[in-house]
Amino acid sequence: MTLTELITACGGNENLLRALRVEEQVIIELADPELRSSAVAELPFNTQLSQLTWQPERPLETHEWQQLGQWIEANQRKQLLGAQEITASIHRPSWHIAPPQGLLNDPNGFIYHQGEYHLFYQLYPFACDHKDKYWAHVTSTDLLNWTTQRIALCPSDWFDSHGVFSGHAVSNGDELMLFYTGNVRIGEQRDRITTQCLATSSDGLHFIKHGPVIDALPPSVTPHCRDPKIIRHNDHWLMLLGAQHQTADNQLQGRLAIYRSDDLYHWSYKGLYGDELGQFGYMWECPDLFELDSQLLGIICPQGIESSSEHHQIPHHNGYFKASLNQNSALTFDGFTTLDFGFDFYAPQTAETPDGRRILIGWMGLPDETDQPSNQDGWLHQLTCLRELSWEKGKIFQRPARELQALRGMQHRHTFTTESACQTLLLDTKSYELRTTMTWPETGQSTLRLMDNGDQYCDIILDSDNQRILLDRSHTLSTDGEQIREITWNTGEDVELQVLADHSSLEIFINNGEYAMTARVFTPEDATRLQLISDRPQLWQDVTFWPLG
Ligand code: FRU
């Protein structure tokens, strides 16, 4: 039987959901198993998975695998037509990037290429679940207005059938190169096969998949090895991968795996890095590596590290190291600092602007938290605002990208004339930027209450007895996330705040970007009030705010 005869006997190419490759076997997953004809009745069929196994007389050739991928992609793109409309939702952001439908997670491939910014993100377009991921694509010339482009990559091929997972982009002359992790699951036991794949485009919109450029795992690394970041180092390229190392005594450790290449197509393994940290979580995801003011910095998302806060019990963390890379491309790390102290910040990526700024964007969400009120409207999660990074006082500072100032409407300023313990301001919008400075009471608390309608609200609390700033979202519509985050603050210094609100999110920048806290905050539509509640009302400072649109 030829491939074409097989597919005809399986109900035709429109009946194909997936094609998997296990050595020389071809496993075909069918939308409707009843469409099989008698010609394939003898072939083993797993009804649970709707998968038929075919052992061809000769191994399929590359072009035949490509043909299978193209048929499946055509079916997926047809299905996508029904998932493009933006659903109405009171929680939908007015200026952040959010999916029209389905589940968004990591930003991917953020890059400036041929006069335009390209940004991709992980998307499962058909439900608010973590299923087979696509790369959605948006472009911009000003980092402010984003145009939705056709879906860049679909999980259509034997090497990415269960998800075109995260990765980065390289602008290589006219060519835009996307490096990503191909995720495949085999059998009912869902054995994971992981490869690092390449897709390229000459017009920045249509991508040709080249399949795996790394098709094996590094020694002693589990199939949790993903999220390629490519950097130029001296005269060659390096690929950094988040990896899970399995030690001789079966401990699982997060590490970075590094590969090297001269041409971006052929990669040789260099080693695992991060041993100086010992046991530092069981997996690292989504690495990035860049310089700020001559300091090399590495971002990772470690899973399972010890938390410094009793309120942070989930395994997911984010942060950065000071890094150094020697002539031999060996990477070493020093220290670990949290990048964002809020609830919902993960898998960030950075890009360099033509004027030399380093801009970061992250996923405003977390891997295990899929129960949010926006699910009722058919969409879940969003990206953070764009943030400009700088290296100051030995730390990464983050400030909203200066481009976002163009979103500001008319400036309002509120000056406090009375010393009342509770001051209320009606902002009349849930999309705004707000600036104020809070001063510590000698004892007790001062609270800035945001997105408030009396019943539901989110508090920023200066808790002077415990010398910490709390972000408390326990009085908001419920989600399956945690409710309190904190920053220890023992200097007694005033707290300068810049808050960006966008319907169901708050991004809080403290002390001119020294600290950031990001939160999904779901409150009713009328929760547009701001309150200031203090044990020392005479300390209130003016509040400045701009509606954002
Ligand atoms: C992080 C992550 C990545 C992976 C992607 C899959 O959120 O788990 O490691 O590539 O999401 O969607």
Side-chain angles (χ1 to χ4, degrees), residues 105-106 122 133 165-166 226-227 285-286 346-347 363 367:
N105 55 302
D106 316 352
Q122 292 279 284
K133 298 294 167 58
F165 272 14
S166 287
R226 53 181 172 257
D227 312 333
E285 292 187 314
C286 302
Y346 203 71
W363 172 24

Side-chain angles (χ1 to χ4, degrees), residues 324-339:
S324 54
L325 199 51
N326 70 14
Q327 275 309 85
N328 207 15
S329 310
L331 191 62
T332 44
F333 300 115
D334 178 20
F336 181 78
T337 309
T338 299
L339 197 53

